[in-house]
Amino acid sequence: MDPRDPHPYPHRRRVLLLLPGQGAQRERMAAGLLGRDAVFTSAVDELLGALGSFGGEGEQLRDAWLRPAPDPALSPSPALSPSPSLSLDEAAVAQPLLFAVGHALGRALGGVPDLLLGHSVGELAAACLAGVFTPGEAAGILAARGAVLATGGRGGMLAVAAPAEAALADAAPGVAVAAVNGPRQTVLSGPSDALERTAAALRAAGTTARPLRSSHAFHSPVMAPAADRFASAFAALPLRAPDTELWSTRTAAPVRAEEARRPSFWAGQLATTVLWWPALRALLDAYGTRPGLLLLDASPDHSLTAPARRHPAVRAGTSRVLPLLPARTAGTAEDAEVFARARAEVRGLGAGVR
């Protein structure tokens, strides 16, 4: 879909839903909606239940999600510590939960947003909301993703407060740019030892570098063999063209019908750079004025819209950022309260979601 196409609702802001990926996961993220929002609860139950039919561990994933976050000030006893296989740092745990929560938040809005953009596994959740594959098919995709991750691609990811070129300048061999999250927000990825050397070099140069919660070197060449194996999961499905405007962080452009139907387009995402800021900036440039965007941030920490807040369209007030979840509490009634207020504002636009 061409971003220059006439908008069906020219007198209101377009609704852009932003869905997070690896590194944004939090214990109990959005869990306060369980039992309080029927659509959210049903969507999560459906996805986790479907994972069980593909040999996944839906109930164990639920337990890992709903476990309270560890207190960094305390040293928990080994008996109370989760097993490594159920840690939210593990991609096999974090990624299906990020998908389940992001997809359920999108469903609970009450319709399909005008525009969709997802980060890493969030892009798969966005594709599901756009009708590229069904939630049942998505469960098979997630099970296959977990299987390929179990056989390779181990490593880590590092958030760096610097432009991509500068962040990579001191990188050890094997480290690549995994994501461009903002003008000075870059994520590096690679083998753990190379990433540790890179982090030390960056800090010695006075650059902030922070490890992300990831067990794998996502969006780097380390993942290329896994991406090749992952393609078979998509090849077995009748992939469809998106029925709403879905943007890709591979191309920083709307997903074309022929791309959506190509298995390698989705599978190859594992090993390619996430162009988050280029895609988000292009959306703001195209739609940020006349009459603007309402950016719905589904990340638990509101990180998805951090660079957007400095864009001229947001600073001028023609576009607006709206979090779907509270930033500092998770798994409480406040989740439902914040989400309900956001949904009411979306619906107040008239045709806020289609």
Side-chain angles (χ1 to χ4, degrees), residues 67-348:
R67 183 176 56 242
D71 187 339
L74 301 177
S75 298
S77 68
L80 297 178
S81 298
S83 67
S85 63
L86 290 179
S87 167
L88 252 65
D89 293 346
E90 281 292 323
V93 175
Q95 301 223 340
L97 289 177
L98 284 163
F99 183 104
V101 170
H103 173 260
L105 288 172
R107 290 267 296 272
L109 286 171
V112 181
D114 302 308
L115 301 156
L116 290 158
L117 179 67
H119 195 296
S120 189
V121 72
E123 186 162 291
L124 297 183
C128 187
L129 288 169
V132 177
F133 37 80
T134 68
E137 291 166 344
I141 291 169
L142 292 169
R145 191 175 174 105
V148 300
L149 294 179
T151 61
R154 304 290 293 192
M157 305 180 78
L158 188 71
V160 181
E165 186 174 327
L168 202 57
D170 292 323
V175 172
V177 173
V180 179
N181 287 340
R184 294 184 56 81
Q185 295 172 270
T186 302
V187 176
L188 300 180
S189 182
S192 296
D193 56 347
L195 215 57
E196 289 173 5
R197 294 197 302 273
T198 300
L202 286 165
R203 290 168 185 149
T207 300
T208 301
R210 175 178 58 86
L212 294 179
R213 300 182 70 176
S214 179
S215 56
H216 287 67
F218 287 108
H219 308 295
S220 77
V222 173
M223 300 301 301
D228 290 341
R229 296 192 299 275
F230 189 33
S232 62
F234 293 96
L237 298 177
L239 298 173
R240 308 159 188 92
D243 55 22
T244 193
E245 190 165 336
L246 170 67
W247 279 58
S248 169
T249 57
R250 289 192 67 178
T251 62
V255 176
R256 303 191 305 270
E258 61 270 24
E259 290 173 329
R261 297 189 182 101
R262 189 189 317 145
S264 62
F265 182 80
W266 303 108
Q269 176 210 59
L270 275 176
T272 55
T273 302
V274 175
L275 301 175
W276 178 258
W277 174 233
L280 186 55
R281 182 180 57 205
L283 277 158
L284 284 162
D285 289 347
Y287 297 135
T289 57
R290 303 190 313 271
L293 287 171
L294 182 63
L295 296 90
L296 304 181
D297 189 337
S299 62
D301 58 359
H302 304 175
S303 58
L304 293 178
T305 50
R309 294 172 189 273
R310 295 186 291 273
H311 189 277
V314 175
R315 297 184 68 171
T318 55
S319 290
R320 183 164 171 263
V321 169
L322 183 63
L324 294 184
L325 297 170
R328 291 182 175 82
T329 60
T332 69
E334 190 179 359
D335 288 348
E337 294 164 4
V338 171
F339 183 78
R341 287 197 297 269
R343 180 170 55 194
E345 181 163 342
V346 169
R347 290 177 174 174

